[in-house]
Structures are given as structure tokens and as C-alpha cells.
Amino acid sequence: MKGSVLKKFDIWIPILLTAIFIIGIVLLQSSCSISPLPLADKTFRQLCFFFIGIAVFVIFAVCDYDAIGRLAYPIAFVNIAILVIVLVAGHSEKGAQRWLSIGGLMFQPSEPTKLIVILALARILANIQKLDRQTLYSITFTVAVPWFLIFVQPDLGTSLVILFAAFVLLYLYGVKPWILFSVICSGSLIGSLFLKDYQKARLTVFMNPESDLTGTGWNIAQSKIAIGSGGLWGKGIFGGTQTQLGFVPENHTDFIFSVAGEELGFAGCIAMLVLYALLMWRFLVIIKSAKDRFGFFTGAGIFALIGFHIFVNMGMVMGIMPVVGIPLPFVSYGGSAFISNMAALGIMESIYSRREMLFYH
């Protein structure tokens, strides 16, 4: 059985992933150093995350995704307990309490939460024939509780990802758009009551970053300068002045696409977009090939998850969307996000490799 599954893997996913990661690791080294060698500490760590992520990818790809789905509910409950622990005893940094320390390593539970919510919600939608009151309670609990626990950390970006993925899955199930829109508007009004002042500023300053160049508008203004200065072909790796002189804050995480714009230019950015577009295309092929409802909803949720990250991250770096703290998949520095996304890719491979098998419940 395992040999049969391995023969049916989608080879394009690891190929595209490797290409994106290579570009990302070069950009990361450039954002942390002025030369290719020696490797910066963050670059070395990211390489370690990559190899751990490969192991996670293989494990999830080989495992039956339907079996993973049957564990979605208990995993979701454990995850909620962990998020509560984060709020009570988590590590605080830069005004947010999002991390747990495990053996001296910092871990961000909100990252795997996105995938866990998708799996649990996909399981619910796959097992029901119509939306009754009990089902609505289950969906609300599955989405709203982890969303709220993450939102108050505060982590606006991750909470938005969860809402978007839930919106996509419910829409695909058949919930009318006006109902979803009403729920989102109501949730937004309630959520706005809990927003910190700096979050409110970030949601509005992107429209006119020059209005606060010494504060919340600094990141966007400097990022736009970096991207614009790259021109068509860029200034070359390790040749970007905005990057090397540290004008763009967080250019190894949320703003790493500004490094691509300055040093690889418009051509390099287009190349990254093409790679991401091909990856998303493979996701669509996998979703279409899914032979059961759970595989379809899970694949659609992962498509929404990765796609939202790409779209919002590039948008906020270019100054056309608010800065909400969303990393660029497989490129931005960070172990929790990278490994969680690798698990998502592994599940996609599991769905594709089992597209011709029958599942009996």
C-alpha cells in the first residue's frame, strides 16, 4: 500500500517548494548579512527548520489523510487548551503573548492552529447533510473559540487567516454569501472593540503612510522605497542599500518580499509569483481529484490558507494592504509557520496520492 501511495505522489509540489525555499534562504541570508558566508544565525536555523519540515511533510504525506481527519476533534480540543496556556503563561515579546518555550525553543501555537481549525471544520462539513442548530453550534465552537484566543494575544493576522479559511469552506458547502457577510461584519464590529491602538493605526495608515513616517507608516514607506529602487533587474543579492542598512524593519520575516523587490527587481518578484501560482495550481488539481468530501474541504481550506498568506503579505509589503503581521509562506523566517505549512503540504500530497482509493466508514 505504501509503495502504491508513493508512486502516486505529485512531484511538482516538492519541486516548487524547493525552488521557493532556495530563493527564500538566499533572501534571508541577504537580510541578515552582507556576504554569502558565513551563514547568519537565522539562516542556519531556517535550514534546520527546512529539514525538520521535510520530515513532517513526508510523515503527513504517507499517512492516510482520512485517519488524520478522525483525530481532528480531539486535536482541536487539545489545541484550545494550549492556546489558553499561552494566554496564562506564554512568553511575551513586542507587546504580544504568543509563544511557549519548549526545551529552550520558542514555539508559536497559533501557527498550527490554522491547519487544525481547517481539519476540524472540514470534518464537520464532510459528515453533515444539512446545517441544523447543533451543527451551527459545533462550527461556531470550532472556529470562534481558537479565533478569539488568538485575537486577544493579540495576533490580528492569524485570526484573519482563520476567518478567511472558514468563510471559504462554508461558502463551498453552500452557505449563502449574504449570511457569511453578515456574520463577518458583526464579528468585525465586536472585534474592533478589542483592537489595540497600534493595530487600529496599522489598519488605516497604509492608505497614507506619509502621515506617520516616524511611527506606524515607517515600515510601509521604507518597504515601498526598497521595492521601487530595485527597478527591473534589481541591485543584486547583498547589494540592496535599504536591506543592508536595515531601513526596513522585520525584513527577515513579514517584510522579506521587500528584499526580493530591491535585490532581485521586478523580474525576480515575477519569478516568485510564477512559482507560487504554479503551487496554487497544483492545489487546485489536488482539490479537483479528491474522492471524498473531507479531502475536498481540507484541500480547499489549505488552498485558502496558503493563498491568503501570499496575497496579504505581498500586498502589505507593497503598501496596498494593511500591515497585519502575516509571513510569506516558505520564505519568511520562522520555524512554527514553516513546519505547519509543510504539514499542510504533506496533507495535500496524501489527498492526491489516494485519489483513486476507496474509503469505507
Side-chain angles (χ1 to χ4, degrees), residues 86-120:
V86 171
L87 289 179
V88 175
H91 174 77
S92 297
E93 186 175 325
K94 297 181 180 179
Q97 191 162 319
R98 306 174 186 171
W99 296 269
L100 287 177
S101 179
I102 302 177
L105 298 175
M106 301 306 296
F107 170 68
Q108 191 172 348
S110 60
E111 289 297 337
T113 296
K114 294 177 283 191
L115 181 58
I116 292 170
V117 170
I118 288 171
L119 289 169

Side-chain angles (χ1 to χ4, degrees), residues 161-173:
V161 174
I162 291 174
L163 285 182
F164 180 76
F167 179 94
V168 170
L169 291 185
L170 291 172
Y171 175 77
L172 291 174
Y173 179 79

Side-chain angles (χ1 to χ4, degrees), residues 20-152:
I20 293 170
F21 178 77
I22 290 173
I23 294 174
I25 204 71
V26 172
L27 296 176
L28 178 61
Q29 176 67 9
S30 180
S31 69
C32 300
S33 177
I34 60 174
S35 62
L37 294 173
L39 291 179
D41 180 62
K42 287 184 173 61
T43 308
F44 177 76
R45 286 173 176 263
Q46 190 77 346
L47 285 170
C48 294
F49 296 147
F50 176 75
F51 289 111
I52 295 173
I54 289 295
V56 171
F57 169 81
V58 172
I59 290 171
F60 277 87
V62 172
C63 289
D64 186 338
Y65 72 91
D66 192 62
I68 297 172
R70 287 195 290 269
L71 297 174
Y73 298 157
I75 292 175
F77 279 103
V78 172
N79 183 67
I80 288 173
I82 293 175
L83 291 175
V84 172
I85 294 173
V86 171
L87 289 179
V88 175
H91 174 77
S92 297
E93 186 175 325
K94 297 181 180 179
Q97 191 162 319
R98 306 174 186 171
W99 296 269
L100 287 177
S101 179
I102 302 177
L105 298 175
M106 301 306 296
F107 170 68
Q108 191 172 348
S110 60
E111 289 297 337
T113 296
K114 294 177 283 191
L115 181 58
I116 292 170
V117 170
I118 288 171
L119 289 169
L121 182 56
R123 196 68 186 176
I124 293 173
L125 297 177
N127 290 341
I128 62 174
Q129 298 301 320
K130 64 178 181 178
L131 288 174
D132 54 24
R133 182 176 298 179
Q134 183 177 356
T135 302
L136 287 174
Y137 289 153
S138 299
I139 292 174
T140 301
F141 179 83
T142 300
V143 177
V145 173
W147 171 84
F148 180 77
L149 291 173
I150 291 172
F151 183 81
V152 298

Side-chain angles (χ1 to χ4, degrees), residues 177-255:
W178 70 267
I179 296 177
L180 294 173
F181 183 75
S182 300
V183 172
I184 289 176
C185 289
S186 301
S188 299
L189 289 174
I190 297 172
S192 64
L193 301 176
F194 295 91
L195 286 175
K196 304 292 185 182
D197 289 339
Y198 76 90
Q199 290 177 315
K200 294 178 182 178
R202 285 181 177 180
L203 291 175
T204 57
V205 77
F206 80 99
M207 293 182 288
N208 184 23
E210 289 76 14
S211 63
D212 188 15
L213 287 177
T214 59
T216 53
W218 173 267
N219 289 26
I220 299 176
Q222 296 301 320
S223 177
K224 290 168 69 175
I225 292 172
I227 293 174
S229 66
L232 179 59
W233 301 109
K235 299 178 180 178
I237 296 297
F238 306 103
T241 53
Q242 293 290 111
T243 297
Q244 300 303 325
L245 298 178
F247 282 101
V248 184
E250 308 300 334
N251 63 0
H252 63 291
T253 53
D254 296 346
F255 280 83

